[in-house]
Amino acid sequence: MSENYDHPTMAWYITPHGFGHAVRSLEVIRRFMSRVPEVRLTIVSDLPDFLIEQHLGIMPSVRRKRLDVGMVQRDSLRFDLDATRATLEKLRRSHERLVDEEKRFLLELGADVMVSDIAFIPFYAADRAGIPGIGMGNFTWDWIYASYRDSDERWDPLIEWCRGGYRLCDLLLRLPMHGDCSSCPRITDVPLVARKPSCTRRESRAILGCEKDRKAYLISFSELHMDESALRRLESMNNALFFFKRPLRFDFANGRSIDGLELSYVDVVGAMDAVITKPGYGIVSDCLATGTPMIYTDRGPFPEYDILVREMERHLNTVYLSSEDFCRGAWESAVEQIEGMPPRTVSMRLDGADVCVGLILDCLAGREDVKAGTVGSRDGAGRRHAGMEPDLESPVVVPVEDSIDLHTYRPADIRDLLDDYLEAARGKGFEQVRIIHGKGTGALRAMVQSILRKHPLVLSFREADGPGGGWGATLATLRPAERNGC
């Protein structure tokens, strides 16, 4: 294993159960790669390539393997509990082989740490390999499956198998809107991991081609079938535009695909009058980050659902749409209700990605402490150890590096942020810094370069070369700090 934690080696397992787990993990990975460009990282999952590349901008090393059943879907709105249990039982019969394979993989990779969101088998493997196993999530699968045991006792050994893995988790980074995670012996609460738009609402709507006199709604599902009569009913709502993204494919007059547009998904969410969806962690986080209202329907018997709905209703304008009306395309009443609600402002911390990166780096800097449970830990009963609970109301102090990623900040904050960052970077002696603004429409890039052009601490700037980000990043050369002579 590597002993140089300036160049760490990581294995990051991501459950393919819904895209929400992927989106939040990839956001933390993106922030980690920005902070530690030398990281050697392998993603272990069977997520589609387009989703990974879309969020990271590059295609990292990916090991195609699924170690997580999640929930087997009958369709976009219903689970198949019998198929889920049968698939999990089949996986359990291969426990020793799977754990041994992952142990060998971690050792051959030279992994310094393993992170899982939130598959449990990797914790067995990390323990056998003798490396820290960090979890990130808002629930554990044993809690989900336990809700089905009353009607079928065959779940019991499977639940205990899940718990056995989570008990080996050295540190769980527990996200907001969480369920019972007490199977993990050491827990640190972190703020919401959320992406922020890089374009203003007006800029995004212009790119989307939204007419000023029409409302815009995003249909947010990873899979959805709507029959011809439902599509024709949506088509009759001619004052509304309905946007969707692959793998969804619809053909109706006021339906528009966002594929190929230079907009991130959260930019699109921020441009909408509402999102129409079933509550999942990823889309709820995007709506919380942008303050976008939600029209939501059922998603089957899943314990996380009630928690997400409670938090949605606490922070956002929401309207419930029955699954029957949803499938019929009878959305008119819900749309009218959401349009009649006064605007609301969301007030919650959205810097969970930076907090998670900092905690993982802390673990890398003191692996033995992590294994001993002295980093932000709780005991098995969920009690916080003295002095270990993070203050979620206080600002997070992010170490000043020679690069800064602006994707997670609001455009209105960029000028003050750059002023503070450039002064701190020069104070640390950096001669050149890399400012990551992304490609997109070029609006954020133009803003950054306008600020740099007039900034007293900047000697010159230029677009980064290919490996440094291309025109998605700008390199700024700083004036040397003045020295007080004798």
Side-chain angles (χ1 to χ4, degrees), residues 384-397:
R384 296 176 180 87
H385 293 302
M388 294 298 179
E389 177 64 6
D391 180 5
L392 298 187
E393 299 303 321
S394 301
V396 174
V397 178

Side-chain angles (χ1 to χ4, degrees), residues 5-24:
Y5 300 114
D6 291 330
H7 299 74
T9 299
M10 302 174 63
W12 199 299
Y13 291 76
I14 305 176
T15 175
H17 172 82
F19 284 171
H21 298 265
V23 167
R24 70 194 186 196

Side-chain angles (χ1 to χ4, degrees), residues 149-285:
R149 73 193 317 170
D150 290 344
S151 58
D152 191 342
E153 64 183 15
R154 288 176 294 178
W155 282 101
D156 282 339
L158 300 173
I159 293 166
E160 287 307 310
W161 179 44
C162 296
R163 285 179 180 160
Y166 291 126
R167 290 187 188 112
L168 299 173
C169 173
D170 293 299
L171 176 64
L172 174 67
L173 308 178
R174 187 171 66 177
L175 296 162
M177 303 184 288
H178 60 78
D180 181 8
C181 301
S182 60
S183 294
C184 298
R186 302 175 184 93
I187 299 172
T188 289
D189 288 313
V190 299
L192 189 69
V193 173
R195 304 171 293 176
K196 296 182 183 179
S198 59
C199 296
T200 66
R201 187 172 189 268
R202 179 179 295 179
E203 290 169 339
S204 295
R205 288 177 75 91
I207 295 170
L208 289 164
C210 295
E211 294 91 340
K212 291 182 180 180
D213 59 342
R214 302 181 84 177
K215 298 292 185 178
Y217 301 95
L218 177 64
I219 304 173
S220 182
F221 288 83
S222 58
E223 178 186 357
L224 180 64
H225 171 74
M226 299 194 74
D227 62 26
E228 193 67 20
S229 63
L231 293 178
R232 298 291 77 80
R233 187 159 183 169
L234 296 184
E235 198 169 57
S236 69
M237 300 171 63
N238 51 24
N239 67 326
L241 296 172
F242 296 99
F243 293 88
F244 52 87
K245 184 175 180 61
R246 65 176 177 178
L248 301 187
R249 291 289 184 270
F250 301 123
D251 184 13
F252 60 108
N254 52 342
R256 298 185 182 178
S257 172
I258 63 173
D259 295 338
L261 298 180
E262 287 291 325
L263 284 174
S264 69
Y265 200 70
V266 73
D267 281 322
V268 176
V269 171
M272 295 293 112
D273 292 287
V275 169
I276 300 171
T277 188
K278 61 179 182 180
Y281 201 92
I283 190 59
V284 172
S285 297

Side-chain angles (χ1 to χ4, degrees), residues 351-405:
D351 57 344
D354 282 320
V355 174
C356 289
V357 169
L359 289 167
I360 294 170
L361 288 172
D362 287 346
C363 294
L364 285 165
R367 288 177 56 244
E368 297 306 317
D369 288 339
V370 178
K371 294 299 286 183
T374 59
V375 177
S377 61
R378 294 184 177 201
D379 61 22
R383 297 183 293 268
R384 296 176 180 87
H385 293 302
M388 294 298 179
E389 177 64 6
D391 180 5
L392 298 187
E393 299 303 321
S394 301
V396 174
V397 178
V398 180
V400 177
E401 308 286 350
D402 62 354
S403 68
I404 183 170
D405 190 332

Side-chain angles (χ1 to χ4, degrees), residues 271-396:
M272 295 293 112
D273 292 287
V275 169
I276 300 171
T277 188
K278 61 179 182 180
Y281 201 92
I283 190 59
V284 172
S285 297
D286 283 346
C287 288
L288 287 170
T290 58
T292 303
M294 299 183 72
I295 297 172
Y296 68 96
T297 190
D298 306 293
R299 61 174 295 186
F302 197 66
E304 184 193 33
Y305 177 88
D306 291 337
I307 294 173
L308 294 176
V309 169
R310 183 180 68 231
E311 291 304 305
M312 288 157 44
E313 293 178 342
R314 179 181 169 196
H315 295 284
L316 299 167
N317 285 337
T318 62
V319 172
Y320 170 73
L321 180 63
S322 71
S323 56
E324 180 182 0
D325 284 345
F326 175 84
C327 292
R328 291 192 302 117
W331 300 0
E332 301 94 337
S333 176
V335 165
E336 288 176 5
Q337 289 181 62
I338 210 80
E339 289 178 5
M341 293 179 174
R344 295 180 65 181
T345 301
V346 178
S347 178
M348 64 187 304
R349 280 184 56 177
L350 306 173
D351 57 344
D354 282 320
V355 174
C356 289
V357 169
L359 289 167
I360 294 170
L361 288 172
D362 287 346
C363 294
L364 285 165
R367 288 177 56 244
E368 297 306 317
D369 288 339
V370 178
K371 294 299 286 183
T374 59
V375 177
S377 61
R378 294 184 177 201
D379 61 22
R383 297 183 293 268
R384 296 176 180 87
H385 293 302
M388 294 298 179
E389 177 64 6
D391 180 5
L392 298 187
E393 299 303 321
S394 301
V396 174

Side-chain angles (χ1 to χ4, degrees), residues 12-83:
W12 199 299
Y13 291 76
I14 305 176
T15 175
H17 172 82
F19 284 171
H21 298 265
V23 167
R24 70 194 186 196
S25 278
L26 292 170
E27 178 65 12
V28 178
I29 289 170
R30 187 180 69 81
R31 297 295 298 160
F32 197 101
M33 294 171 69
S34 174
R35 289 267 297 275
V36 189
E38 301 84 2
V39 63
R40 293 179 57 232
L41 185 140
T42 298
I43 293 173
V44 185
S45 185
D46 62 353
L47 292 168
D49 286 351
F50 82 85
L51 187 68
I52 297 173
E53 190 168 11
Q54 179 184 89
H55 285 82
L56 298 184
I58 60 170
M59 196 63 196
S61 172
V62 178
R63 181 168 178 257
R64 293 288 166 197
K65 188 154 188 179
R66 182 169 186 161
L67 291 167
D68 191 307
V69 172
M71 299 294 294
V72 177
Q73 300 272 161
R74 286 183 179 173
D75 53 39
S76 59
L77 298 176
R78 295 181 300 166
F79 300 123
D80 189 329
L81 293 180
D82 288 337

